[in-house]
Amino acid sequence: MLQSNPHTTSTPDSGTASGSTRIDRSDIEPINFVDLKAQQALIRDDVERRIKDVLDHGAYINGPEIGKLEKALSQWTGAEDVVLCGNGTEALEIAMMGASVGQGDAVFIPAFTYNATASAVLMVGATPVFVDVYEDTFNMDAADLEIKVEAVALKGELTPKMVVPVDLFGLPADYAAIRKVADAHDLRILADGAQAFGGRQDGRFVGNIADMTATSFFPAKSLGCYGDGGAIFTRSKEEGDVWRSIRWHGTDEARRESVRIGTNGRLDTIQAAVLLSKLSIFDQELKRRAEIAAVYDEILGEVMALPARPENCDHGWGYYSITLDDRDGVRAALQDKSVPTAIYYQQALHTMEAFKAFAPSNGLPVAEKLSERIISLPIHPYMSDDQVLYVAQSVRELVG
Ligand SMILES: Cc1ncc(COP(=O)(O)O)c(C=O)c1O
């Protein structure tokens, strides 16, 4: 069985959180941006036992762990059905194929996200239409979505078909506003929740906010396996069955005849076994991420704008991202202090070589500005209290 996560028993106390105790680099272990080794130390025995089970039964494809994990994820999120697949990109593609998105269709996506959101659209033969984002939440701007949908409808070359909001860094997009636009123009909503497993809006977890949600279990994600993995969540069992068919070459239930176009989109049984183990500590990890974010908020709040926390949302804290005027200078100084950081994203999608043919002529000013200012601080659940303080104090010293 798993041991409990020692971090969850000790919330950083508020005296320390205020930053009154100064932490020196020599007081702490080196900080990693993500620490899968520390996590593995907690679950190693359980993971080995579960992998041994797979080796014993030998069903490497579609073994019992697949159905078990689909059920567990459905229970965890409240989604009606969950279909595991090979990675988060494939999850997006399969959901689009299931909704018959293809050539001649426009799919509206934010310009400030990972490239996979755009490539999935192109891989199914549809056309990405880039939408700007809000400066505070970094998520899709619903007013700009409306403008872009109307422009496409007016031009008449493409059919507006789907919108793919991204829950960037763990924060759910503004689905109420997006839904209004989607309903008015008959668009389906597919949430890209690849960074947001564990995030919540109006009491619903990512996976059960939009009609369809894709996520990724890439190792560095909040819930990640030991390789590639992904899943799609739906409110409709029928849709889930279509996705199961698509992920297995579009075959019927007996897997004899291809009844639609499909692909090999399956998750390996061994990865499902790893995820079952990781899911058992996920609640504790989520809690710890929120504790770290609260300490960062407290120490950094006086000197900079904090990541937005809309009242109806619980952030999943896949990343703690802030914007800084001298982002690159601060980043270099943090590196000198052994504080690892990451930049997601250096470039807005519509400025990239592969996608610039789809760039709007007047650009997307907020996405472009963010790409010059954004920086993410480490927020993995295995940071010690002192490491958290050291990161926050280091940033505050440089920015304050
Ligand atoms: C927003 C977003 N969408 C899609 C993906 C694709 O997931 P995967 O790498 O599992 O294909 C990622 C992965 O980083 C992502 O961050």
Side-chain angles (χ1 to χ4, degrees), residues 87-89 92 113-114 116-117 166 192 194-195 216 218 221 228-229 345:
N87 55 67
T89 313
L92 290 166
T113 175
Y114 187 53
T117 319
V166 177
D192 181 344
Q195 301 180 5
S216 163
F218 183 80
K221 300 292 187 207
D228 276 312
Y345 296 93

Side-chain angles (χ1 to χ4, degrees), residues 26-253:
S26 60
D27 298 335
I28 56 171
E29 295 289 320
I31 303 168
N32 298 308
F33 192 77
V34 173
D35 194 344
L36 294 178
K37 273 199 172 154
Q39 183 197 50
Q40 195 187 94
L42 268 187
I43 57 172
R44 176 80 187 222
D45 290 349
D46 190 61
V47 169
E48 282 187 1
R49 180 183 62 76
R50 289 177 191 270
I51 290 178
K52 182 176 175 301
D53 286 349
V54 178
L55 297 179
D56 287 347
H57 66 57
Y60 307 120
I61 300 293
N62 212 31
E65 287 79 2
I66 296 291
K68 202 170 162 191
L69 180 61
E70 287 182 341
K71 209 165 167 195
L73 290 170
S74 155
Q75 275 167 357
W76 202 93
T77 56
E80 185 63 28
D81 201 4
V82 179
V83 177
L84 296 170
C85 43
N87 55 67
T89 313
E90 216 159 58
L92 290 166
E93 289 169 15
I94 292 173
M96 288 180 205
M97 288 169 77
S100 302
V101 171
Q103 214 165 6
D105 293 332
V107 178
F108 300 85
I109 61 171
F112 195 62
T113 175
Y114 187 53
N115 52 20
T117 319
S119 32
V121 175
L122 287 158
M123 291 301 283
V124 301
T127 301
V129 178
F130 293 107
V131 177
D132 215 345
V133 294
Y134 295 120
E135 199 158 352
D136 54 353
T137 64
F138 316 133
N139 280 332
M140 180 181 270
D141 178 335
D144 195 48
L145 170 66
E146 173 123 58
I147 292 169
K148 297 293 192 292
V149 176
E150 281 173 359
V152 169
L154 197 67
K155 209 167 176 196
E157 288 172 3
L158 298 169
T159 309
K161 192 75 172 270
M162 177 177 268
V163 52
V164 185
V166 177
D167 304 328
L168 204 71
F169 303 140
L171 181 70
D174 185 355
Y175 286 97
I178 289 168
R179 205 166 282 127
K180 269 191 200 154
V181 181
D183 288 349
H185 296 275
D186 211 14
L187 302 178
R188 291 219 60 194
I189 303 177
L190 165 63
D192 181 344
Q195 301 180 5
F197 192 78
R200 230 182 336 185
Q201 185 170 77
D202 297 322
R204 288 172 178 272
F205 279 107
V206 167
N208 191 27
I209 300 173
D211 289 350
M212 301 182 270
T213 303
T215 201
S216 163
F217 299 128
F218 183 80
K221 300 292 187 207
S222 303
L223 180 63
C225 50
Y226 289 153
D228 276 312
I232 343 172
F233 304 75
T234 174
R235 294 230 167 90
S236 148
K237 280 260 180 230
E238 292 83 62
E239 195 151 47
D241 286 341
V242 170
W243 294 345
R244 281 191 182 84
S245 163
I246 293 173
R247 81 171 168 191
W248 203 304
H249 302 289
T251 48
D252 57 17
E253 247 178 84

Side-chain angles (χ1 to χ4, degrees), residues 5-12 28-39 42 284-285 287-293 295-296 317-320 338-341 376-395:
N5 176 350
H7 293 303
T8 53
T9 55
S10 66
T11 307
I28 56 171
E29 295 289 320
I31 303 168
N32 298 308
F33 192 77
V34 173
D35 194 344
L36 294 178
K37 273 199 172 154
Q39 183 197 50
L42 268 187
Q284 299 164 41
E285 293 188 335
K287 187 167 165 241
R288 177 61 179 162
R289 284 176 189 272
E291 286 173 358
I292 296 170
V295 175
Y296 284 168
W317 298 118
Y319 303 88
Y320 188 96
S338 305
V339 173
T341 57
S376 303
L377 306 179
I379 191 169
H380 70 75
Y382 300 95
M383 293 175 76
S384 70
D385 294 352
D386 284 352
Q387 286 177 324
V388 175
L389 285 177
Y390 178 73
V391 170
Q393 289 170 355
S394 301
V395 176

